[in-house]
Every structure is written in C-alpha cells, then in structure tokens.
Amino acid sequence: MATAGKVIKCKAAVAWEAGKPLSIEEVEVAPPQAMEVRLKILFTALCHTDVYFWEAKGQTPVFPRILGHEAGGIVESVGEGVTELSPGDHVLPVFTGECKDCRHCQSEESNLCDLLRINTDRGAMIADGQTRFTARGQPVYHFLGTSTFSEYTVVHVGCVAKISPAAPLDKVCVLSCGISTGFGATVNVAKPPKGCTVAIFGLGAVGLAAMEGARISGASRIIGVDLNPAKYEQAKKFGCTDFVNPKDYDKPVQEVIVEMTNGGVDRSVECTGNAAAMISAFECVHDGWGVAVLVGVAGKEAVFKTHPINFLNERTLKGTFFGNYKPRTDLPGVVDMYMNKELELEKFITHSVPFSEINKAFDLMLSGESIRCIIRMQD
C-alpha cells in the first residue's frame, strides 16, 4: 500500500465531551508500531457500551476520544513483528484480545488474556502509552483498543480476528461484540440441552443473541423477561415463546417463573447488568440441575445476595465474558456459522446510516428503536 509507513489523514467521529453530539473531524492516524495493525474500517455498529462511555455517567471521563468497537474492515498495513496478518486481509477488530502466550490464552477454559483484556479507562496503545490519533493539533484518545468510529484505526494485532474474505462485512461486523457475547453465553456457557426451558433477562441485542443461542440449541420454551412490553413482538423472531414483565406482578419475578415452569427453568441467561435481575435469574432456575449465566455488567456498588441454600440445592451460577470466545481463535468459526446459514444476523440489524449521520445511530439506540444500527463509513 502506498500509505504504509505514512500518517493517514481521514475522517473520524470525535467525542469532545460527555453527552455532546460526535463531531466529524479530519484526524491524522499514525502508522502502526511493533505488533500493531492499521485497519481501514468499512462498517461499524453502535453498541450500548459506546453510549455508556459517551454519556460518562459514573465512568472515568476520557475525552477527546474516538469511540466504536463493533466493526469490520481490511488491513491497510502492519507493524514490525506482525506475521499472521497482511494488507488486504478481512478482519474484525475486537475490544478484548488474545496474545496466545499468557496463562489465560494457553488455557482452554479461559478467554481473559492477561495482556489484552478489556480496559475501559486506557486511552492509548500499550506499546508506548501514546495515542495514534491527532485532531485539531492535539492527541485524541482510543477506546477499548479499537476506536472504530474512524475511517482508519490502529489496533494491537492480538485484538484482530482474520475472517473469510467472502463474509459480508456489513453483516458480520456485529459479531465483534454484542451478538457473540450473548450467543456464546448460551451455547458455550449455559449449554442448554435440547428440549429444555430457558429464561432470558433483558431483551436488548445481547439478550436477543442469547435467545438465538437457545433457539438454535433446540430449547422447547424460551421465556423473555423485560420491563418494556414492546420487546415481546421483536423477541418472537428469536424464538421467544413466553414474555414476563416484572412490573405486572406484585411478587418477585423469579417466583412467577418458578410457578410457570413447575419448579424453575433449566437455564437462565441475564443480560441487563441489574443486580436484582441477576439474583432473579439465579433464583428462577430449577434445583438439581439449573444453571444461571450472568452476562450483564453491574455498577460499582452492586451486590449479589442470595441464600446459600440455593447452592446446596444444586443450582449453578456462572459468569461469562465475550461469550467465552477467544477472539482470534474462535471468531472466524462464528463467522463461518453465519456463512453456513446456521446463525442469522440480518434480524439483529434494524437500521443503517451513512457515517455523516452517526449521531442518528445514537438517537435510535437511546429511543430503544434499534437493535443494531450499521454505520457505513464509505458513503
């Protein structure tokens, strides 16, 4: 590439301060350093995590910043020491990584890489503690090591999954965060047996992906739990057979579900980040074999309280991060599932906007209208 080794000037959507509309700016993107890759982003989606850190309520505010972490693109150039990626490769950048060397990466049971694990406060590259972005003559910080709201971005090689060039990037880009997180939580962690009953708490994109995992696993009954009754119609496309709104009852929702299912569901997956919902998800599973999986990220002050008898009665509580997928090793296979028509992605994608209208994607998510909005970088 003629641009290799040079600074690239391109457009990026910069968040200058919390809660203010993003501003499309000309930014300078430095070349990749050792073990880094510079990517041309073609499609990026808006995830609730972007909104959360853009609002910066209760978060460490890191501004100016280029948000975005759910995307698909092409390798433009590679830094020193990068051997498994070449310019032109189709890739998904991922907010967590896989160095392949640490104890976690060497373990078949973990995907929590010591080197590249998610760090929401870090605004620079780990190689030198510097940012690769400049706008208006000042440094602009990175987000989750990806910063995909830019036509070009620099990412650590361990956070880049190489995928089939035949896969449409405007669809599979959603697999780099939310959809894989929910889907993997069900199929890799809850592992529902065919014919079982499953409850899904929270019917946003991650919850619907968890529901899709239950549907594909052959669950006979899938109970969606959400405070918004409008979510039921949408959830039916993902296999939802029953809908429970906790606000409709004057007793804890776990008691409602236990009564509905003659003793509790076989599996539950919690995708809200609300501690009360987490407790309900655990307490609604059947004794003897019930498994509850927590996906949502709770606030700093949250506490999980339940009676120890729930464990003695042989219920299991599990946690998961990114659906227990190792980004570089496992994501190409999830993309192949889509290509083989084993996994549907189109129904998650409800909207699409050109990059110039990126703030509209925020409006759609804040109003609850969209599951996923794809932002087209090249329009």
Side-chain angles (χ1 to χ4, degrees):
M1 289 261 184
T3 46
K6 299 175 186 165
V7 170
I8 288 179
K9 288 187 177 179
C10 68
K11 289 197 179 90
V14 179
W16 290 99
E17 53 185 307
K20 294 280 163 55
L22 305 189
S23 165
I24 305 282
E25 304 275 348
E26 181 180 85
V27 298
E28 296 181 342
V29 185
Q33 303 295 311
M35 302 311 285
E36 293 175 1
V37 187
R38 190 160 57 184
L39 307 178
K40 179 178 187 176
I41 299 296
L42 296 179
F43 299 94
T44 184
L46 180 66
C47 169
H48 194 263
T49 306
D50 297 307
V51 177
Y52 192 59
F53 283 90
W54 165 71
E55 291 177 327
K57 294 172 183 169
Q59 301 303 318
T60 309
V62 182
F63 296 99
R65 198 172 206 180
I66 296 173
L67 297 164
H69 65 284
E70 200 171 277
I74 295 172
V75 175
E76 174 270 334
S77 61
V78 302
E80 188 189 330
V82 176
T83 55
E84 58 192 73
L85 289 171
S86 308
D89 285 345
H90 286 224
V91 294
L92 301 180
V94 186
F95 64 92
T96 182
E98 181 185 355
C99 72
K100 298 199 173 181
D101 294 323
C102 71
R103 286 177 65 194
H104 283 279
C105 287
Q106 300 275 328
S107 161
E108 287 184 10
E109 295 180 50
S110 174
N111 66 339
L112 300 173
C113 175
D114 278 331
L115 180 69
L116 300 168
R117 190 180 303 195
I118 186 172
N119 181 333
T120 57
D121 293 342
R122 188 170 59 223
M125 300 301 288
I126 57 174
D128 57 4
Q130 301 294 312
T131 166
R132 304 284 175 263
F133 298 113
T134 312
R136 300 186 194 174
Q138 69 181 88
V140 177
Y141 296 109
H142 294 248
F143 178 62
L144 300 184
T146 51
S147 291
T148 60
F149 293 167
S150 176
E151 291 175 328
Y152 288 86
T153 187
V154 177
V155 181
H156 190 285
V157 66
C159 300
V160 180
K162 180 179 173 179
I163 63 166
S164 164
L169 289 170
D170 60 331
K171 307 291 191 296
V172 298
C173 63
V174 298
L175 289 173
S176 62
C177 177
I179 310 309
S180 295
T181 295
F183 187 74
T186 301
V187 299
N188 294 339
V189 188
K191 296 179 179 169
K194 199 170 166 55
C196 76
T197 54
V198 181
I200 308 289
F201 286 74
L203 302 180
V206 175
L208 292 173
M211 187 169 276
E212 183 74 353
R215 185 185 72 79
I216 287 175
S217 300
S220 63
R221 192 174 181 192
I222 302 174
I223 302 167
V225 184
D226 202 284
L227 296 172
N228 179 355
K231 295 282 179 79
Y232 184 30
E233 269 315 301
Q234 207 170 43
K236 286 179 185 173
K237 294 180 199 162
F238 299 84
C240 190
T241 58
D242 302 73
F243 180 80
V244 175
N245 184 341
K247 288 195 288 198
D248 292 345
Y249 300 89
D250 52 11
K251 57 184 170 189
V253 70
Q254 54 266 48
E255 291 180 21
V256 176
I257 293 171
V258 166
E259 285 173 20
M260 282 171 68
T261 54
N262 191 23
V265 290
D266 303 306
R267 299 288 186 269
S268 71
V269 185
E270 178 283 325
C271 306
T272 69
N274 177 291
M278 295 178 182
I279 295 163
S280 298
F282 177 54
E283 294 184 352
C284 80
V285 299
H286 207 288
D287 57 9
W289 60 79
V291 178
V293 178
L294 305 186
V295 181
V297 180
K300 285 191 177 111
E301 308 304 313
V303 175
F304 185 99
K305 288 171 76 171
T306 191
H307 198 282
I309 194 74
N310 290 321
F311 291 100
L312 299 179
N313 283 338
E314 300 179 5
R315 292 178 178 88
T316 301
L317 180 65
K318 289 182 170 186
T320 177
F321 171 73
F322 192 50
N324 277 44
Y325 287 118
K326 292 179 189 278
R328 295 157 91 184
T329 301
D330 298 332
L331 266 195
V334 186
V335 169
D336 291 343
M337 282 185 73
Y338 167 73
M339 296 300 284
N340 297 333
K341 298 193 164 41
E342 296 163 46
L343 173 61
E344 296 174 27
L345 294 179
E346 283 79 1
K347 59 191 178 185
F348 290 98
I349 299 167
T350 51
H351 297 79
S352 175
V353 297
F355 188 35
S356 58
E357 295 176 25
I358 187 168
N359 288 302
K360 189 176 173 188
F362 279 73
D363 296 339
L364 287 164
M365 179 159 285
L366 289 166
S367 69
E369 284 177 66
S370 67
I371 303 177
R372 274 295 180 266
C373 179
I374 303 293
I375 297 150
R376 310 184 298 274
M377 304 301 285
Q378 301 302 310
D379 272 23

